Amino acid sequence: MVKVDLITGFLGSGKTTFIKKYASWLMKQGQNIGILENDFGAVNVDMMLLHDLEGENCELEMVSGGCDKDCHRRRFKTKLIAMGMCGYDRVLIEPSGIFDVDEFFDALYEEPLDKWYQIGNVITILDARLEKKLQPQAEYLLASEAADAGCIVLSKSQEASAEEITGTVEHLNRALESVKCKRRFTEQDVLCKDWEQFTDEDFQRIFHSGYVMEDFEKQCFDEKEGFQSLYFMELKISEEKLEKAAHEILEDSKCGDVFRIKGFVKLAEQVDTSCDEEAKTPAGVPDHGAQWLELNATRKEFSLRPISVGQEVVIVIGENMNEERIRGYLERE
């Protein structure tokens, strides 16, 4: 049977970056893998970020939005049925950051998927510098994703203080308590290490982590009151203006509770003849074929880096957002 690993995590936690490292390690072990990007959004940016993994031992598949949740679940199941015939050793699923983990278990227990697939691991990625206060829906998602995890992997731990890491684990336990889940984590239970320093032993720990079936109190939220994703297509904006706009949107409370901005813009050509005539990125690094800039911004960090594949889209994620005010920043002359 094909093993399936579910990679969960709060929006912006680093799931896609983790998958790139984990998938690369799996392929070095001789595994033939499929990666399924399962996103409720209209455009799947993360799919593009995994493009470099594609090859003889790795294929990418996608279920994207544009329909209601029931339709999306049917598409998810149909895609898994098709992938079950591809001869993979393991399938990695990166769901939307607003995903109910129970849907994953329910789908794999249904016919015919139960004959082809076996649950391998549930791996939850958690930002080591987790916000101290989250909205109720975010608190619930945090708890529901971690409750069944075989392994909690902290992201950006090298940038976090010991106090921040302790606070993140305590926050996670409070979230679990709020949904009446008995499970609790200590700092020794989580994998807290710079991902660039991961060893074979670290990946083996993740690979054999499994999952836990925990009981907790289910909660329902009105979709209109939950997370929103606003899509701004084909923006004609320079990298300098985009950086300025992103910071302003994140800092302006009148835009709503915005906690992540991601997407791509076309890379402006800048040639520096003093360095072998190579095109330069704004940071002065040879682009080696990059034609796009990938944007990833939160209140705590900002990056705008060259990438070879992209699409003209900026996605703003948050709650109770004012679309017109946000659009004003992005489309300002």
Side-chain angles (χ1 to χ4, degrees), residues 270-280:
Q270 296 188 22
V271 178
D272 183 349
T273 57
S274 67
C275 185
D276 300 328
E277 303 293 325
E278 288 187 295
K280 294 287 188 173

Side-chain angles (χ1 to χ4, degrees), residues 103-135:
E103 294 179 18
F104 168 68
F105 289 107
D106 291 345
L108 293 189
Y109 289 146
E110 293 177 1
E111 293 186 348
L113 298 182
D114 61 340
K115 295 180 174 62
W116 297 337
Y117 292 104
Q118 180 179 0
I119 300 171
N121 306 300
V122 176
I123 303 161
T124 296
I125 311 302
L126 184 60
D127 192 328
R129 302 173 301 169
L130 185 65
E131 296 281 352
K132 292 182 179 179
K133 185 176 181 181
L134 299 174
Q135 295 294 329

Side-chain angles (χ1 to χ4, degrees), residues 238-240 242-243 263 265 282-283 293-296 302-306:
S238 68
E239 51 266 30
E240 293 83 5
L242 178 59
E243 179 174 355
V265 293
L293 290 173
E294 176 208 346
L295 169 68
N296 203 332
F302 180 92
S303 69
L304 195 58
R305 66 181 186 88

